[in-house]
Amino acid sequence: LRAKLRHLNSMSAEELLLSNTALLSEETGGGRLDVSWQVVQYVPLTSTGRVQSVALADCVGASAERSELVLHCVTLHGGGCLGSPHREPSQARMPCRDGGQAERWAAAVWNIMHGVAPDAPPPRQKRWLVLINPVSGPGHARRVYARCRPLFEAHRVALTEVVTTHAGHVREIAAQIEPAEVDAVVCVGGDGVVHELVNGLFAREDADAAVSALSIGVLPGGSANSLCVSLLKANNEKSGSRRSKGGAVGEDDDSVPRRSRRRESRPGRLRRRASSAVAADSGST
């Protein structure tokens, strides 16, 4: 094992990238850290230790805390007899020899997550504009974003947050976005937030350039969240239980901000529940 580690450490970055084993491998004192394009693994030197393995596909960030490499993940839980499959934030902590080694490994893993060689300069920090509609659906958009914000921070994103105040606000913002200053726009609310954003972008004189330059993300803060469900299915991802902590999946959505709301009539509520049952029965959620 030690001879293999010495051999890996003597290889150049190009050889490591071309090898089909590990991009980086190093002893930590009590074990060994390995990372490939797919997995970060910690293997203890004693039989009493616990082997840890984290898929980089589930990893959103890497950081160092004292003498530990901390991987911030969104891992899949449940399924089968364990209930509906869903993703939950989690952390994997792998012991390092000291703080310096933890920092080096956090930087290396961060690079590999972005398809960059471990010892290359880090990728440029992303800049995201977050649009939050506080009255979408049941009004849980702020709560949904509060739960997701730590993951954005772990992903080292520079965040600009705007809470919408009136109908058409998102469209107004879309007209003023500078694509050179923003990499992505994240919509927190119902489907209507995305509709306003897209319509606002296509109404610009530079619509083609703006749409090509910007990525658009969605956090389900409405009541139906149909677009999120469709995006998850298109990516072979599980949407989890029909009702999330932030709102329900599979119901009709009130997607534009309003200053006041009337209580929905009983027939209206029954129609909403019926449409939800049909969506759940058809497998769309």
Side-chain angles (χ1 to χ4, degrees):
L1 176 60
R2 292 181 185 276
K4 181 180 178 181
L5 289 175
R6 284 195 297 269
H7 170 66
L8 287 170
N9 289 329
S10 67
M11 295 170 68
S12 66
E14 291 76 13
E15 289 174 320
L16 286 170
L17 289 171
L18 291 172
S19 72
N20 204 22
T21 52
L23 299 175
L24 189 63
S25 185
E26 191 174 11
E27 290 189 26
T28 65
R32 187 186 76 249
L33 281 169
D34 296 292
V35 61
S36 68
W37 287 119
Q38 292 82 28
V39 178
V40 182
Q41 188 174 61
Y42 172 76
V43 181
L45 295 180
T46 62
S47 59
T48 57
R50 181 171 64 92
V51 175
Q52 297 186 64
S53 184
V54 175
L56 288 181
D58 296 334
C59 193
V60 298
S63 61
E65 293 184 14
R66 297 186 176 87
S67 59
E68 287 184 321
L69 168 65
V70 183
L71 302 178
H72 306 269
C73 309
V74 186
T75 51
L76 188 64
H77 297 270
C81 62
L82 300 178
S84 299
H86 61 283
R87 289 191 179 272
E88 289 287 342
S90 63
Q91 288 185 350
R93 293 177 173 269
M94 301 182 177
C96 297
R97 185 168 48 248
D98 51 39
Q101 186 180 49
E103 291 281 356
R104 290 196 309 275
W105 269 83
V109 172
W110 179 252
N111 277 5
I112 293 169
M113 287 172 54
H114 290 81
V116 179
D119 56 350
R124 179 180 63 82
Q125 185 182 34
K126 298 294 184 180
R127 302 154 300 177
W128 290 4
L129 173 63
V130 183
L131 305 178
I132 306 167
N133 182 358
V135 296
S136 284
H140 293 162
R142 292 178 189 265
R143 187 186 310 172
V144 169
Y145 179 61
R147 293 186 65 215
C148 296
R149 195 178 195 280
L151 297 175
F152 294 169
E153 293 173 342
H155 200 55
R156 307 183 190 182
V157 176
L159 299 170
T160 301
E161 298 154 356
V162 178
V163 178
T164 60
T165 59
H166 55 274
H169 193 183
V170 173
R171 191 182 181 103
E172 296 169 6
I173 294 171
Q176 300 172 0
I177 293 175
E178 292 291 341
E181 300 176 359
V182 178
D183 296 301
V185 182
V186 179
C187 300
V188 190
D191 294 348
V193 182
V194 184
H195 296 164
E196 275 197 26
L197 174 65
V198 172
N199 288 332
L201 291 174
F202 275 105
R204 295 166 56 122
E205 292 184 359
D206 62 342
D208 290 342
V211 172
S212 299
L214 293 172
S215 297
I216 298 176
V218 189
L219 288 180
S223 48
N225 304 314
S226 303
L227 178 59
C228 285
V229 173
S230 298
L231 291 172
L232 289 170
K233 291 185 68 175
N235 287 277
N236 297 317
E237 187 67 59
K238 304 295 184 180
S239 60
S241 59
R242 189 180 64 81
R243 181 171 295 276
S244 66
K245 293 183 180 179
V249 174
E251 300 177 1
D252 292 336
D253 178 43
D254 297 323
S255 58
V256 295
R258 294 178 175 85
R259 294 188 181 277
S260 63
R261 293 182 184 272
R262 295 180 180 177
R263 180 173 175 81
E264 190 178 32
S265 65
R266 181 175 178 81
R269 293 199 301 273
L270 291 176
R271 284 196 298 271
R272 283 161 58 89
R273 290 173 184 171
S275 65
S276 176
V278 171
D281 186 62
S282 65
S284 65
T285 57

